[in-house]
Amino acid sequence: MQEDVEKKRKRLLYRASYRGFKEADLLLGGFARAHLAGMSEEALDEFDALLGHPDRELYAWATGASEPPQGVGGPVFEALRAFKLA
């Protein structure tokens, strides 16, 4: 059974907001709150895949502290890299 889009948004918001260390919670959760409502199903799938990576690696890639491996990228990842907390 395929997950309802709104349930998926709520699940992704939770996963983005409770990553395991405060900096990732703030960055990923803030990004999710700002962008999830307007994401297409394809973009939601990309964000879901990004959240599958280890916290510290994803945070380092998103902040530019390290380069992501081949295959990590796409419009959602680029938007995450460009996202700035207010």
Side-chain angles (χ1 to χ4, degrees):
M1 186 168 115
Q2 193 169 14
E3 185 176 20
D4 174 83
V5 175
E6 287 309 310
K7 285 183 182 179
K8 186 173 193 171
R9 284 187 173 100
K10 288 178 184 179
R11 178 178 59 80
L12 292 174
L13 176 60
Y14 183 86
R15 284 186 65 203
S17 299
Y18 299 98
R19 297 297 297 176
F21 74 101
K22 194 65 165 177
E23 293 87 349
D25 295 348
L26 292 172
L27 176 64
L28 298 169
F31 176 80
R33 281 186 290 285
H35 294 282
L36 278 178
M39 283 187 187
S40 67
E41 287 191 57
E42 182 178 282
L44 292 171
D45 289 341
E46 182 185 338
F47 191 55
D48 197 7
L50 286 172
L51 294 178
H53 292 282
D55 299 338
R56 298 208 181 263
E57 291 176 17
L58 180 55
Y59 182 79
W61 303 334
T63 60
S66 67
E67 287 300 312
Q70 190 72 17
V72 173
V76 174
F77 179 73
E78 293 307 319
L80 176 60
R81 282 189 120 175
F83 181 72
K84 304 291 184 229
L85 293 172

